[in-house]
Amino acid sequence: MVQEFDKVGVVGLGTMGAGIAEVFARAGFNVVGVEIDQAALDRGRGHVDKSLSRAVSKGKITEGERSEIDARLTFSTSREDLADADFVVEAVPEHMDVKRDVFGDLDRICPPGTILATNTSSLSVTEIAALTDRPEKVVGLHFFNPAPVMKLAEVITTVSTSAETVDIVTEVAKRVGKTPIAVSDRGGFVANALLVPYINDAIRLYERRIATREEIDEAVKKAAGLPMGPLALADLVGLDVCLAVMDVLWDEFHDPRYTASPLLRRMVAAGRLGRKTGQGFYATGDEAPEPRRTGRLAEMVREEETLDLGEMLIAPQIDDALRMVGDGYASAKDIDTAMRFGCGYQKGPTELLEERGAESVITTLVAMSEYGLTTIAVPAPLLMDLLPDAEESASHGGGCACHG
């Protein structure tokens, strides 16, 4: 069925939407990118042009290939131009009223057989599907920024999504060069539900003057081999996006783990959203390194032998991952795939667990709890089951039991 697809629509051509349009055009689909007005359309076209020029300069594509990609891309300010689209991806801002307007139009304009996908990173796909008369053909297809580079695509299903739709969308994701994982509709899905609380944890450490932003970022890069620390990543993702995901997680689970840091909320209120505004935890211009920020708690933490700054951020994420596995929401393999291909991790959370051992992770979590540095009161049951004593009483075997 994928081979029969010809015309793909992308509604919303911000950085993400423009990247998605480019991804489909590169894969051989004819793409119509739609924006709300000419100014937004010109910006979207500019995003695509800049990305393709960068790909040519880096030798990723030839000038001839670029011309072919350009020929498959058209741009419009009218959603009516999607009347014959086979597949449409919505990538407008994360506001339900905006999604409501888009999906109402798409449901009216597109043929009954057209699959409608939302790229939402935080809103309920089930609620979005209910805005249409074709909920069985609505699915989440969550790309990661930058879309032409990041290999992960989360395929999010609802209780109404048909098996046929899931199969088609999964195959489409593969055809455009992505590694898909299929999960049900739940706050944050896999990647954001693990990544954003980790960013929030880093903001809490910074807010409580445990360490400077540079110390936090460098410690995590060293501990987990990450290309970017959590505070720099927050600036890249957008602090408003981080806050929106935290609020969605809180609304769904009402777990203290998902309470947004007061500093995160204040920075968003002040318009310090990261790179998009030029001010976040780092400024876009050159500036002197931030002086060391210390306090009584910071000195106590530094003296605690069981607390390593990098591990203080990695351990809670491992715990979150193990809870996700224990809930039956996602497999250890899919979780590791999500974090490696969607977030740039060299090793996923359960792979990091195997490397560190359950006892080390639990020791860090317990020590953090004693200092009030985590809202995790008790380590995940599946994590506790991996302690040496628990392993000896279970059936004999090595490695991480969550992979069993």
Side-chain angles (χ1 to χ4, degrees):
M1 296 188 69
V2 177
Q3 284 71 25
E4 297 174 6
F5 276 19
D6 176 50
K7 186 173 179 179
V8 173
V10 178
V11 181
L13 297 174
T15 302
M16 179 60 76
I20 293 171
E22 178 185 339
V23 164
F24 276 94
R26 281 201 193 199
F29 292 101
N30 292 312
V31 180
V32 177
V34 180
E35 258 295 359
I36 193 69
D37 56 34
Q38 191 61 48
L41 193 70
D42 291 341
R43 286 194 297 272
R45 191 194 301 261
H47 290 319
V48 176
D49 288 343
K50 184 177 180 180
S51 178
L52 290 175
S53 295
R54 188 184 305 116
V56 171
S57 68
K58 291 185 176 181
K60 301 294 180 65
I61 60 174
T62 66
E63 286 287 0
E65 289 170 331
R66 177 186 178 156
S67 295
E68 293 174 357
I69 293 169
D70 281 332
R72 291 192 287 268
L73 283 163
T74 58
F75 299 89
S76 173
T77 56
S78 174
R79 294 172 190 166
E80 301 291 338
D81 287 341
L82 301 177
D84 57 346
D86 303 298
F87 189 93
V88 180
V89 180
E90 164 274 313
V92 301
E94 291 283 83
H95 301 291
M96 189 57 78
D97 57 340
V98 181
K99 310 280 191 188
R100 184 176 294 109
D101 175 65
V102 170
F103 275 84
D105 271 359
L106 293 178
D107 196 37
R108 172 182 58 82
I109 293 168
C110 298
T114 302
I115 292 175
L116 306 180
T118 174
N119 183 59
T120 184
S121 61
S122 61
L123 299 178
S124 167
V125 179
T126 303
E127 187 175 346
I128 291 171
L131 300 173
T132 74
D133 290 329
R134 65 181 88 193
E136 75 284 355
K137 290 191 172 293
V138 177
V139 70
L141 182 57
H142 183 212
F143 291 88
F144 290 76
N145 194 28
V149 176
M150 302 307 288
K151 294 298 184 183
L152 181 68
E154 290 178 315
V155 179
I156 303 101
T157 64
T158 75
V159 293
S160 302
T161 311
S162 71
E164 180 186 39
T165 298
V166 176
D167 290 344
I168 293 173
V169 175
T170 300
E171 190 59 35
V172 167
K174 291 178 181 177
R175 179 165 166 180
V176 300
K178 304 304 177 186
T179 299
I181 62 169
V183 293
S184 59
D185 189 19
R186 183 170 116 162
F189 315 132
V190 172
N192 278 340
L194 294 177
L195 185 71
V196 179
Y198 147 81
I199 290 174
N200 191 60
D201 284 344
I203 297 172
R204 285 186 178 279
L205 292 181
Y206 178 74
E207 182 176 25
R208 298 190 67 182
R209 303 188 177 189
I210 302 301
T212 67
R213 63 191 176 199
E214 290 86 1
E215 288 171 335
I216 291 170
D217 281 353
E218 287 303 315
V220 178
K221 287 163 64 177
K222 180 181 179 181
L226 299 179
M228 182 179 292
L231 298 180
L233 182 60
D235 281 353
L236 176 63
V237 171
L239 273 64
D240 53 335
V241 175
C242 293
L243 179 58
V245 173
M246 287 303 297
D247 285 345
V248 164
L249 290 169
W250 168 257
D251 288 343
E252 180 152 345
F253 299 107
H254 282 82
D255 186 321
R257 175 84 181 115
Y258 303 124
T259 303
S261 159
L263 178 59
L264 173 60
R265 202 171 291 281
R266 288 197 299 272
M267 290 182 72
V268 172
R272 295 176 65 99
L273 308 183
R275 291 191 185 183
K276 67 178 78 174
T277 61
Q279 289 287 327
F281 289 101
Y282 298 87
T284 53
D286 293 331
E287 57 182 21
E290 183 186 26
R292 178 180 293 275
R293 303 175 66 188
T294 60
R296 184 171 174 273
L297 177 62
E299 294 303 327
M300 292 170 65
V301 169
R302 290 175 192 279
E303 292 172 2
E304 174 61 65
E305 293 182 1
T306 60
L307 283 175
D308 173 84
L309 189 56
E311 298 303 322
M312 288 166 63
L313 292 169
I314 296 301
Q317 188 179 73
I318 291 174
D319 188 86
D320 288 342
L322 269 287
R323 290 180 193 275
M324 198 175 278
V325 174
D327 289 346
Y329 178 65
S331 68
K333 179 181 178 181
D334 279 350
I335 287 171
D336 288 341
T337 296
M339 300 311 286
R340 284 191 285 109
F341 292 143
C343 304
Y345 279 49
Q346 291 184 5
K347 297 179 180 178
T350 71
E351 293 168 321
L352 290 171
L353 170 60
E354 287 192 355
E355 184 176 84
R356 285 156 171 76
E359 188 170 4
S360 173
V361 174
I362 291 171
T363 298
T364 298
L365 290 172
V366 170
M368 290 177 69
S369 181
E370 290 176 354
Y371 284 101
L373 297 175
T374 179
T375 54
I376 299 173
V378 179
L382 190 53
L383 183 57
M384 295 296 290
D385 288 345
L386 296 174
L387 285 173
D389 289 346
E391 289 178 349
E392 288 172 10
S393 63
S395 57
H396 193 69
C400 177
C402 59
H403 287 275

